[in-house]
Amino acid sequence: MHDDDFVDGESNNNKLFSRGAAIYYFGSLVFIAGIALLILGSALIMFFKLSYTSELQEILYTVISIAIGIVLILLGINLMMKQTKKRYFIIILSVISVTVSMFLFIRNYEYNWYYPLVSYVFGLYVAGFLLLLGNTFAGAIMWIIGSKPGFSLGPVEDEEPAHLYTDEEIQRDIEEATRKSAEAAVAELHFDMDEAPEDILAVHVSQTPKNVTRVRDKITEVKSLGQTLSPGATEKWGSVGIEKASMALANTLEPKKKLRKGFFQRIKEKYFNKQPKKESKEKIKNKNY
Amino acid sequence: MAKGLDIGTMNIICAEKDKNDIVFTQQRNAFMELDSNDLTKTMLDISKVLYIERKDGISLLGEDAFKFATIFEKEARRPMTHGIISPREKEAIPIMKLIVGEVLGQPKKQNEVLYISTPANPIDTDLNVLYHKKTMEMLTKGLKYDTHVIDEGLAVIYSELSDNNFTGIGISVGAGMTNVTLAYLATPLMSFSIARGGDWIDEQASKSTGMPKEHVTATKEKISKLSKEVKMGSVEGALTIYYDALITYVIKNLNRKLAEITPPNVAFPVAIAGGSAQPEGFFDLFEKRLREANLRVDLAKIKHVKDPLLSVARGCLIAARTQEEKGRQQYNQTQTPTQTQTKSTQKKKK
């Protein structure tokens, strides 16, 4: 195996020809054409009922279809794979070899098809075929054993990890880590607040009128907040506390229910609401008529 | 005795219990500098205002700074901006220390429990509130209080949503920021803030109408109702537009943040408080926009807060009293076994 067969990402990119989507689609077309020719050749065998006694032209068409079909299949597969410079050279060499052999076969089959020409033509074709086959095999093996796949299943794109993190997720993670770090730093921080600034000479606060508001409020929320934050903890006789906490939880979990309107509220809405009254169905009907 | 302190960009409000009442002490979070001379000092002493004498002049503090700013046609400076200590004001911390000390007073006992409100981390700016939180905590600890910190949005929930077992969405529309918290059984599931509030409305309205910002702020605080029918070119019209824009912005961000969590499948009530939520019509507008928004959670009622300005301080006081109660119970629990032990030993001796 050559050094350039296993290369790291960067050098690999340098050594590889730039491959676009076009070459992949071209390879697919070549592959399909090869399949079509192979099917055609197989069909011709059955159509002509090929045997030793068959017409020369029948044998010629059938052999050409099958021989070119097989080579095109291998060529198509090779074109769909990532290739190095050397492998492209091998492909070109094998294509030339097969083309020359097929040209000689077509030109000489009917009238000059004798040995040693047959050996030369057959040898050229087999050499080209084996080169392509070997190249395909090498590519497939590299794809299997290499960590970097050499088998391109589509237009070449950047490899991506299995789990994709969005920019927002990454940003959030960074912010979270920064926040935790800053919080830890702040917790350790100690301010020296005892000393007054040197430039303050005197503070006049004694007779400052304050804006004071006095509101009658027993703040009963204190008890319920304590109960909610630590349910059951404030009650010495246990079950009562648990019941209270359960009731609190049940009230919260209770689905949204319509508030029951009081008697005065209903009277207010009925007689003093400024919104236009809903028209009765009969009135609407009359209007429509 | 426990206290709650709402440290806002515009106001610093202390709440404390006095028999069957809650007493709210309020002071503007602002200061203004004047040249020092005997005449000025005499005038200030007669007026009984809060001020400090410096080597290079006089600084008026609190509400008076605002009043005198109007008289002298100067701009009152603010120790806080966008909900946190202003990095542009060098004297922010000593000024705030004085105002906070003035509002809070001395603790009535050693390690009196104090809950202070702080903003949650903003989502639309790269401001970080950690330093502000720590500074405020240390500043009040320096006054010998046992200080705890609570999100503004959670304080609103504690204050307004007790009927719903402290489950719901608490929104505090302050001057510098708008804070939002979603809590379930008093436990916050999501908290964030937006670096837009009353000041943003003032700025936008000021730019639109060409009026000075102080004038816009004064109009906003006097405005009786957010109305769509206003005089052409009036500040009221601009204020209505930007209130609407702020509400929409808050709701959009709330919906965006709700997508990041999986809240329990319950209907959440909403309570909206804060100094900038005071104009009449604000709640109706907010409710309308909330219902239109198709939030990712089911909404129950939208609670009309009775006194939006004092709600956060009240929530802090509730948290402080609860903490105090909890401490008292823990103390009693530790004391009771010791007392029984002493009684039994006394009996044995007899």
Side-chain angles (χ1 to χ4, degrees):
Chain A
M1 217 38 88
H2 296 286
D3 285 348
D4 61 352
D5 284 342
F6 298 101
V7 281
D8 59 85
E10 262 182 55
S11 54
N12 197 13
N13 286 338
N14 294 336
K15 290 195 175 185
L16 288 175
F17 283 115
S18 59
R19 291 169 59 90
I23 198 160
Y24 171 78
Y25 292 123
F26 178 66
S28 308
L29 283 175
V30 171
F31 179 79
I32 291 163
I35 296 278
L37 278 175
L38 196 64
I39 292 166
L40 179 70
S42 309
L44 284 177
I45 291 172
M46 287 181 276
F47 182 71
F48 294 137
K49 292 172 184 164
L50 226 56
S51 66
Y52 287 109
T53 55
S54 296
E55 291 285 327
L56 288 176
Q57 278 200 334
E58 287 174 0
I59 295 168
L60 182 74
Y61 294 143
T62 311
V63 169
I64 287 170
S65 301
I66 292 172
I68 294 175
I70 289 168
V71 170
L72 286 183
I73 288 169
L74 287 175
L75 183 65
I77 294 169
N78 273 286
L79 287 175
M80 284 190 281
M81 286 179 178
K82 276 183 179 177
Q83 302 291 347
T84 58
K85 274 182 184 177
K86 277 182 185 171
R87 294 233 215 105
Y88 269 115
F89 179 72
I90 290 167
I91 292 168
I92 292 164
L93 198 70
S94 59
V95 168
I96 290 168
S97 168
V98 168
T99 314
V100 171
S101 70
M102 291 316 296
F103 175 74
L104 289 172
F105 176 68
I106 293 161
R107 196 178 170 85
N108 298 302
Y109 181 67
E110 282 186 47
Y111 307 105
N112 297 315
W113 193 241
Y114 305 113
Y115 283 94
L117 183 68
V118 175
S119 307
Y120 300 148
V121 171
F122 190 67
L124 264 174
Y125 179 82
V126 167
F129 171 78
L130 287 177
L131 276 172
L132 272 178
L133 192 66
N135 204 36
T136 315
F137 181 73
I141 292 295
M142 271 185 68
W143 178 67
I144 292 165
I145 63 170
S147 58
K148 294 178 194 313
F151 203 72
S152 172
L153 294 174
V156 180
E157 287 170 0
D158 291 337
E159 289 168 19
E160 287 172 343
H163 178 75
L164 294 175
Y165 290 92
T166 60
D167 287 349
E168 271 186 10
E169 279 175 321
I170 293 165
Q171 191 63 30
R172 213 180 299 154
D173 284 352
I174 293 168
E175 277 172 13
E176 184 66 18
T178 316
R179 188 183 59 79
K180 279 181 183 169
S181 157
E183 272 177 5
V186 162
E188 289 169 6
L189 206 63
H190 187 76
F191 292 91
D192 187 10
M193 309 283 286
D194 295 337
E195 285 181 22
E198 286 173 4
D199 64 331
I200 294 180
L201 302 173
V203 182
H204 296 255
V205 291
S206 57
Q207 290 175 311
T208 309
K210 287 176 189 172
N211 188 358
V212 176
T213 315
R214 186 176 276 271
V215 182
R216 183 155 287 270
D217 190 342
K218 288 182 180 174
I219 48 167
T220 49
E221 290 91 342
V222 172
K223 201 175 180 184
S224 48
L225 180 61
Q227 192 72 44
T228 311
L229 285 172
S230 50
T234 53
E235 304 293 341
K236 282 180 185 173
W237 46 87
S239 62
V240 178
I242 291 165
E243 266 179 32
K244 276 185 181 179
S246 309
M247 283 296 287
L249 187 63
N251 286 340
T252 310
L253 292 171
E254 199 177 333
K256 184 171 53 178
K257 60 180 181 184
K258 285 183 181 175
L259 288 170
R260 289 185 85 185
K261 288 171 185 170
F263 174 70
F264 291 107
Q265 183 69 24
R266 273 183 278 162
I267 287 176
K268 192 185 166 189
E269 277 185 14
K270 198 171 181 181
Y271 298 106
F272 301 101
N273 206 344
K274 286 177 184 175
Q275 285 175 349
K277 288 176 185 175
K278 284 183 182 176
E279 291 181 39
S280 67
K281 283 182 182 177
E282 284 180 13
K283 278 186 179 177
I284 293 165
K285 271 186 185 177
N286 291 335
K287 265 190 182 179
N288 289 339
Y289 285 120
Chain B
M1 293 299 283
K3 284 178 185 173
L5 185 70
D6 172 15
I7 304 174
T9 309
M10 183 65 95
N11 291 295
I12 294 178
I13 305 167
C14 172
E16 64 182 309
K17 192 91 167 72
D18 182 26
K19 291 171 187 172
N20 286 332
D21 298 342
I22 298 181
V23 179
F24 295 97
T25 311
Q26 182 187 338
Q27 191 62 275
R28 289 272 192 189
N29 195 0
F31 68 104
M32 196 194 87
E33 288 187 336
L34 289 174
D35 292 332
S36 176
N37 58 54
D38 290 340
L39 184 67
T40 316
K41 272 194 271 184
T42 315
M43 188 186 75
L44 293 175
D45 286 336
I46 293 166
S47 308
K48 296 174 184 174
V49 299
L50 172 64
Y51 72 95
I52 51 172
E53 265 185 85
R54 292 174 173 279
K55 283 177 185 170
D56 54 349
I58 286 172
S59 291
L60 294 176
L61 309 183
E63 189 71 48
D64 302 312
F66 253 76
K67 284 178 188 167
F68 278 78
T70 322
I71 296 164
F72 291 108
E73 291 186 346
K74 276 189 167 185
E75 196 177 339
R77 286 160 66 182
R78 309 265 286 274
M80 277 173 64
T81 178
H82 294 301
I84 60 168
I85 298 164
S86 174
R88 285 172 304 199
E89 291 292 353
K90 197 179 68 181
E91 289 138 359
I93 294 173
I95 294 280
M96 280 199 70
K97 190 182 174 187
L98 286 169
I99 299 176
V100 166
E102 170 71 11
V103 171
L104 208 52
Q106 290 298 313
K108 290 186 178 72
K109 63 171 189 180
Q110 202 183 358
N111 282 332
E112 186 174 341
V113 179
L114 171 73
Y115 263 73
I116 58 169
S117 71
T118 54
N121 266 332
I123 53 167
D124 57 346
T125 172
D126 58 354
L127 286 175
N128 198 310
V129 300
L130 280 170
Y131 185 76
H132 169 79
K133 268 187 195 179
K134 185 71 182 180
T135 311
M136 288 303 117
E137 194 185 337
M138 295 309 293
L139 203 139
T140 45
K141 272 185 178 168
L143 296 165
K144 312 290 179 206
Y145 282 93
D146 174 19
T147 308
H148 300 260
V149 178
I150 183 176
D151 278 344
E152 259 185 52
L154 189 62
V156 173
I157 291 169
Y158 283 179
S159 173
E160 309 300 335
L161 297 177
S162 63
D163 294 344
N164 301 80
N165 293 305
F166 308 99
T167 296
I169 301 171
I171 301 172
S172 165
V173 190
M177 276 183 161
T178 301
N179 277 271
V180 183
T181 296
L182 182 136
Y184 182 68
L185 293 172
T187 310
L189 302 180
M190 176 196 78
S191 270
F192 68 92
S193 68
I194 288 159
R196 287 185 188 181
D199 284 347
W200 179 82
I201 294 172
D202 296 350
E203 276 166 24
Q204 300 305 314
S206 169
K207 279 178 194 168
S208 306
T209 56
M211 300 296 271
K213 203 181 148 201
E214 277 68 29
H215 178 83
V216 175
T217 311
T219 313
K220 191 183 76 181
E221 288 177 359
K222 283 176 199 160
I223 195 170
S224 57
K225 192 174 180 180
L226 291 177
S227 172
K228 297 271 177 187
E229 288 170 17
V230 288
K231 282 180 190 173
M232 193 179 279
S234 67
V235 177
E236 285 84 351
L239 285 170
T240 307
I241 289 167
Y242 290 109
Y243 258 110
D244 200 345
L246 176 69
I247 290 168
T248 310
Y249 185 70
V250 171
I251 293 168
K252 288 274 175 203
N253 279 293
L254 171 62
N255 220 2
R256 187 161 71 84
K257 287 296 282 182
L258 283 172
E260 291 174 12
I261 59 163
T262 315
N265 191 20
V266 293
F268 287 91
V270 182
I272 308 149
S276 298
Q278 292 187 92
E280 198 187 325
F282 178 84
F283 289 113
D284 297 326
L285 188 60
F286 211 113
E287 185 168 2
K288 192 183 166 195
R289 294 284 175 261
L290 263 179
R291 301 280 182 208
E292 285 169 358
N294 284 326
L295 283 188
R296 287 167 200 271
V297 290
D298 289 334
L299 292 180
K301 61 178 180 182
I302 315 289
K303 187 170 179 183
H304 288 213
V305 175
K306 198 178 166 188
D307 203 338
L309 182 65
L310 308 176
S311 181
V312 175
R314 188 175 180 272
C316 291
L317 177 64
I318 290 167
R321 299 270 299 179
T322 311
Q323 176 70 26
E324 195 183 46
E325 198 74 24
K326 195 179 159 189
R328 197 177 294 149
Q329 277 172 9
Q330 280 173 354
Y331 177 77
N332 288 342
Q333 276 170 6
T334 50
Q335 285 295 305
T336 319
T338 342
Q339 283 171 358
T340 41
Q341 274 177 6
T342 12
K343 277 180 185 174
S344 61
T345 43
Q346 278 173 355
K347 276 181 184 176
K348 275 178 187 175
K349 276 180 185 175
K350 279 176 186 176

